[in-house]
Amino acid sequence: MNRDNDHSTQCIVLISGFAFRHKISKDGKRQIVSIHLAGEVINLQSLFLEAMDHNLQALARCSVVLIPISALRSLIFARPPIYAAFIIRSMVEASIYREWILNNGWRDARARIAHILCEFAVRSDALGINHGGIYNLPMTQEQIGDAVGLTAVHVNRTLKSLSNDGLITQSADCSAPTA
Amino acid sequence: MNRDNDHSTQCIVLISGFAFRHKISKDGKRQIVSIHLAGEVINLQSLFLEAMDHNLQALARCSVVLIPISALRSLIFARPPIYAAFIIRSMVEASIYREWILNNGWRDARARIAHILCEFAVRSDALGINHGGIYNLPMTQEQIGDAVGLTAVHVNRTLKSLSNDGLITQSADCSAPTA
DNA sequence: CGGGAACTTGATGCGCGTCAACTAGCGTGG
DNA sequence: CCACGCTAGTTGACGCGCATCAAGTTCCCG
């Protein structure tokens, strides 16, 4: 992401595809803190905070629209309902963060991975982008591991285990979890 | 917390003492998702969301002030800067959530506990309630464990280990971490 | 046909959970 | 006053879940 598209001056709307946000710890580990689907403004907090405490990254190919922050600020101050909608969206994101803290805290590998698959399925349903119980999850096993705090190797074994138990089925190009 | 003080109709300002928010998973594990010090409004999201996805609990004795949500709503809509201040506070909380996701994701026991102690110290400093490098942390080892996803037994061992290495010192009534 | 990224699978070891026993402190009631 | 019970903390033994290391297989793309 070059200087012209700097997310400190532009808000980014994800039009198609997927993106995620992550932090890098001092020892080089990457922790994915949120996943974003089409239709979401993926750096809402830039409207209110100057500093960025994490990084944005696209999952596979995606298209975005950039809106200058100054324009969005004018909009929300002129239209209180839009302002409120953005705030509520942020609150919902905070709720998802809390859920992730719980997910990474106590659960074992099967539960963590099942949770992230289910969350993805529910959000895909809400957007109407599932195909009859088939979901397109464009994350590598390493990325899943970075989201739930497991190594790619163990993610692999756990997915196999879920698969063997008939809880999920995977297709070639991507994965297709079913409840 | 009885019906009269219901946090679905009142906002709670922590005047003195400490409080935390937690979620209970289906298997009975408790995950603490945030800690609150004196001076903070501890259920800001109630201004915007009806549902409460987690629980509030006091750490030891504390005093609070209750403000009807309707009154706060009137205030923030009448005074945009106050509105904005609340939003920014929420964004900062979201940032702390992201940090906790990272903390619980990859770090080992020593790093997790050191992080929560340091976060507590920094926030205490910001409030000016430290006493020359001495901090009063009113959490039991079990609560620390519930915050970072470790058992009380292992928190105990890890604190001992940090103590033996001279990284922290503990006094009788509570703990006194030093950087 | 070569090379790299993602996935797969096995062997080994350690960090942390679990179980259990014990101590210390503190409030309550006899 | 001491007996009692409860909560928090402490320590040891043992086992499992997951990390780590390593080798290999696909599969895509040049």
Side-chain angles (χ1 to χ4, degrees):
Chain A
M1 197 163 288
N2 59 41
R3 192 65 199 166
D4 293 339
N5 298 340
D6 193 335
H7 42 257
S8 67
T9 61
Q10 314 257 356
C11 264
I12 305 171
V13 186
L14 193 59
I15 299 300
S16 71
F18 306 90
F20 61 82
R21 298 193 267 181
H22 69 271
K23 297 171 76 87
I24 307 277
S25 64
K26 289 216 186 71
D27 56 357
K29 296 296 182 92
R30 178 180 63 177
Q31 174 70 49
I32 295 177
V33 296
S34 69
I35 301 173
H36 294 279
L37 280 59
E40 301 179 7
V41 181
I42 58 184
N43 60 338
L44 256 189
Q45 79 284 341
S46 292
L47 273 178
F48 306 97
L49 294 183
E50 298 287 327
M52 195 71 169
D53 67 335
H54 57 278
N55 312 294
L56 284 172
Q57 188 170 333
L59 271 172
R61 192 158 301 281
C62 64
S63 55
V64 300
V65 162
L66 300 175
I67 306 176
I69 284 180
S70 55
L72 266 188
R73 285 215 181 102
S74 305
L75 175 65
I76 63 179
F77 293 144
R79 306 290 179 101
I82 296 179
Y83 195 172
F86 280 3
I87 302 314
I88 288 174
R89 173 67 210 171
S90 297
M91 296 295 172
V92 170
E93 282 186 12
S95 172
I96 296 175
Y97 286 144
R98 286 190 288 270
E99 193 61 41
W100 278 44
I101 292 174
L102 170 63
N103 197 42
N104 285 6
W106 282 111
R107 295 195 180 127
D108 63 10
R110 280 174 72 97
R112 288 188 198 189
I113 291 175
H115 178 275
I116 203 175
L117 292 179
C118 289
E119 178 189 327
F120 190 85
V122 168
R123 290 171 62 182
S124 293
D125 284 344
L127 289 176
I129 56 177
N130 78 81
H131 310 284
I134 310 291
Y135 302 92
N136 177 31
L137 176 65
M139 293 176 75
T140 67
Q141 295 176 351
E142 184 178 12
Q143 287 166 340
I144 294 175
D146 285 346
V148 298
L150 297 167
T151 59
V153 171
H154 206 68
V155 169
N156 185 301
R157 288 190 229 271
T158 307
L159 284 174
K160 275 297 171 69
S161 160
L162 291 170
S163 225
N164 287 340
D165 294 350
L167 297 173
I168 63 172
T169 57
Q170 306 178 45
S171 64
D173 49 2
C174 269
S175 66
T178 59
Chain B
M1 195 162 288
N2 61 42
R3 192 63 200 167
D4 293 339
N5 299 341
D6 193 334
H7 43 254
S8 66
T9 61
Q10 313 258 356
C11 264
I12 305 170
V13 186
L14 194 61
I15 299 301
S16 71
F18 306 90
F20 61 82
R21 299 195 266 181
H22 69 269
K23 297 172 76 89
I24 307 276
S25 64
K26 289 215 186 71
D27 57 357
K29 295 296 182 87
R30 178 180 63 178
Q31 175 69 51
I32 294 177
V33 296
S34 68
I35 301 174
H36 295 279
L37 280 59
E40 300 180 7
V41 180
I42 58 184
N43 59 338
L44 256 188
Q45 80 284 343
S46 293
L47 274 178
F48 307 97
L49 294 183
E50 297 287 326
M52 195 71 171
D53 68 334
H54 57 280
N55 313 294
L56 284 172
Q57 188 170 334
L59 271 172
R61 192 158 301 282
C62 65
S63 55
V64 300
V65 162
L66 299 176
I67 305 177
I69 285 180
S70 54
L72 266 188
R73 285 216 181 100
S74 304
L75 174 66
I76 63 179
F77 293 144
R79 305 291 178 101
I82 297 180
Y83 195 173
F86 280 4
I87 303 313
I88 288 174
R89 174 67 210 171
S90 297
M91 297 294 173
V92 170
E93 282 186 12
S95 172
I96 296 176
Y97 286 143
R98 287 190 288 268
E99 193 62 41
W100 279 44
I101 291 173
L102 170 64
N103 197 41
N104 285 6
W106 282 110
R107 297 194 179 128
D108 64 9
R110 282 174 70 97
R112 289 188 197 190
I113 291 176
H115 178 274
I116 202 174
L117 292 180
C118 289
E119 178 190 326
F120 191 84
V122 168
R123 290 170 63 183
S124 294
D125 282 344
L127 290 175
I129 56 177
N130 79 82
H131 309 285
I134 310 292
Y135 302 93
N136 177 32
L137 177 64
M139 293 177 77
T140 66
Q141 293 177 353
E142 184 177 13
Q143 287 166 340
I144 294 175
D146 285 347
V148 299
L150 297 167
T151 59
V153 171
H154 205 69
V155 169
N156 185 301
R157 287 191 231 272
T158 307
L159 284 174
K160 276 295 171 72
S161 159
L162 291 171
S163 227
N164 287 339
D165 294 350
L167 297 173
I168 61 172
T169 57
Q170 304 179 45
S171 63
D173 50 2
C174 268
S175 67
T178 59

